[in-house]
Amino acid sequence: MVDEIRHQYEEDILNLSFSGRHTLGTPKVIPPDPQLEERCSNLILSDDQIERVSATLLKEIENGLRQKTNGEADIKCYPTYVRNLPNGEERGKFLALDLGGTNFRVLLIHLGEATPEKEFASRIFAVPHQIMTGPGEALFDHIAECLALFVKEYKVDKEVIPLGFTFSFPCRQEGLTKARLVQWTKGFTCANVEGEDVVELLQRAIHKRGDVTIEVMAVLNDTTGTLMACAYKQPACRIGLIVGTGLNACYVEKLDNIERWDGDFDDPKQCIINTEWGAFGDNGCLDFVRTEYDKALDAATLNRGRQLYEKMVSGMYMGEIVRHVLVSLAKEGFILNGSSYRHLLKPGKFLTKYISKIEDSPEGDFTN
């Protein structure tokens, strides 16, 4: 089996060598191919296109903030009900759960109570594919089981520690501890969760176990968590941006600009807005920059026609976009010099991490 895997790996390397050239010895600079550059020109945005994207994004955010246009807006701009930012003087012991992809992280955080090397402990747990696409109850039971393992491992299972639940999927928040899932993204399709309060589902799974006492004190998006974490050390921070498996951003907005605000208007007259701008372009406003590769990728996804901005930028989809580009160029004879590219025809064969490895190569070195 090991020999078969090694042989397959070596064959893949040969098949993925551009124009049949390898650099097993001294790297050499390969001059650019004008025809190939022309063929790939639609992957490079001009300044005018970038400015148009920027202006369109601002307009769509404004539509999300307005009561009249929110229903049709692709960027929903959900109020998070988080209105205060940390000042760096917060103290205490806290649990954090971050769910937003094929893995989730549990953390035990000490604010102002430990030396820097003991400020937090963390552990990453996997979310198996059958759980990502199975019943919702199984997902939250799995999370509850991992939470129990974690608190027992760090011997805090006898304490009642507040938990912050970072749930990085589009949610309509109705308070600090109530958020209803609008729609699954990132390959999740768990049944009986959309439209439900995810805090209640998690709390129910924890209570059902009966072996630990964990109370969810706040639910938030990973962008909000990023903003809060940065503001703890940099109080001037006002924007949280996630470019990872998914894509999203949040920012601090004045209450007067949030027409859908249904909370009180006492100080501070501000609220963090979770834009959910991964859906930017779902209404067609980004069609002027979408390529045939973007459209081919979208056509094969579970949520076709949704989260189009995220599919153009985020790590979950970037490798697949490159695979579509490579297949197209190979079919047209621009790369591989007629060598077999059958391995590239399989969806998901070209991983996003390969792009990082290629980009890490020194200029003129094509080993990676």
Side-chain angles (χ1 to χ4, degrees), residues 127-139:
V127 183
H129 180 74
Q130 64 268 26
I131 289 183
M132 290 176 61
T133 57
E137 184 177 4
L139 171 65

Side-chain angles (χ1 to χ4, degrees), residues 48-346:
D48 287 343
Q49 286 175 310
I50 292 174
E51 289 177 3
R52 183 176 171 187
V53 170
S54 177
T56 305
L57 176 61
L58 180 59
K59 177 182 177 181
E60 294 298 310
I61 289 176
E62 291 173 346
N63 287 340
L65 291 172
R66 295 194 181 105
Q67 184 71 40
K68 185 177 180 179
T69 54
N70 178 268
E72 292 75 38
D74 53 3
I75 301 179
K76 290 300 184 182
C77 292
Y78 297 110
T80 64
Y81 295 87
V82 177
R83 298 173 60 186
N84 287 294
L85 295 177
N87 58 20
E89 298 179 1
E90 290 76 12
R91 299 292 181 267
K93 187 185 297 184
F94 307 91
L95 280 171
L97 166 63
D98 182 5
L99 173 66
T102 54
N103 297 301
F104 69 91
R105 177 179 294 181
V106 181
L107 304 95
L108 176 63
I109 304 168
H110 300 257
L111 294 182
E113 292 185 348
T115 57
E117 62 271 16
K118 294 184 179 180
E119 284 183 348
F120 70 89
S122 69
R123 184 173 169 185
I124 294 176
F125 297 91
V127 183
H129 180 74
Q130 64 268 26
I131 289 183
M132 290 176 61
T133 57
E137 184 177 4
L139 171 65
F140 288 96
D141 284 347
H142 175 63
I143 295 171
E145 179 182 4
C146 295
L147 274 173
L149 288 172
F150 181 85
V151 296
K152 290 175 181 178
E153 177 182 352
Y154 289 97
K155 297 178 173 55
V156 292
D157 52 307
K158 305 303 180 184
E159 303 179 44
V160 179
I161 303 176
L163 170 71
F165 183 18
T166 301
F167 186 76
S168 304
F169 300 91
C171 284
R172 183 178 64 255
Q173 282 203 231
E174 299 173 2
L176 274 178
T177 58
K178 191 169 186 177
R180 298 187 183 277
L181 175 65
V182 176
Q183 65 182 35
W184 282 117
T185 58
K186 308 173 193 173
F188 280 73
T189 58
C190 298
N192 302 317
V193 181
E194 291 185 350
E196 299 296 323
D197 178 10
V198 295
V199 174
E200 181 180 345
L201 295 177
L202 175 60
Q203 203 71 73
R204 188 185 305 161
I206 294 171
H207 289 165
K208 185 169 60 175
R209 293 184 57 84
D211 56 346
V212 292
T213 303
I214 299 173
E215 298 296 333
V216 181
M217 303 302 292
V219 60
L220 63 159
N221 190 273
D222 56 353
T223 55
T224 307
T226 297
L227 172 53
M228 297 293 281
C230 292
Y232 180 72
K233 293 186 177 181
Q234 298 289 340
C237 186
R238 291 295 181 272
I239 296 173
L241 174 65
I242 295 292
V243 184
T245 302
L247 173 73
N248 196 15
C250 73
Y251 72 100
V252 178
E253 180 61 271
K254 297 177 181 177
L255 292 184
D256 289 343
N257 294 332
I258 310 172
E259 294 185 4
R260 300 171 63 245
W261 177 251
D262 59 359
D264 57 56
F265 280 83
D266 57 357
D267 291 328
K269 299 184 184 301
Q270 63 182 27
C271 179
I272 295 178
I273 292 293
N274 169 26
T275 63
E276 287 296 341
W277 74 9
F280 178 35
D282 287 7
N283 62 3
C285 65
L286 284 183
D287 285 355
F288 69 98
V289 292
R290 294 183 71 221
T291 66
E292 69 265 35
Y293 315 118
D294 297 303
K295 295 171 184 176
L297 179 148
D298 176 53
T301 57
L302 296 173
N303 57 343
R304 184 175 180 177
R306 289 156 46 183
Q307 297 295 109
L308 296 185
Y309 192 39
E310 182 172 81
K311 290 173 182 174
M312 295 169 70
V313 176
S314 73
M316 181 167 184
Y317 302 100
M318 190 173 294
E320 185 66 0
I321 288 179
V322 171
R323 187 188 70 82
H324 280 288
V325 174
L326 295 177
V327 169
S328 178
L329 296 180
K331 285 182 177 179
E332 297 172 27
F334 283 104
I335 61 174
L336 302 182
N337 282 351
S339 298
S340 171
Y341 55 88
R342 67 183 185 279
H343 301 301
L344 283 173
L345 297 176
K346 182 179 179 181

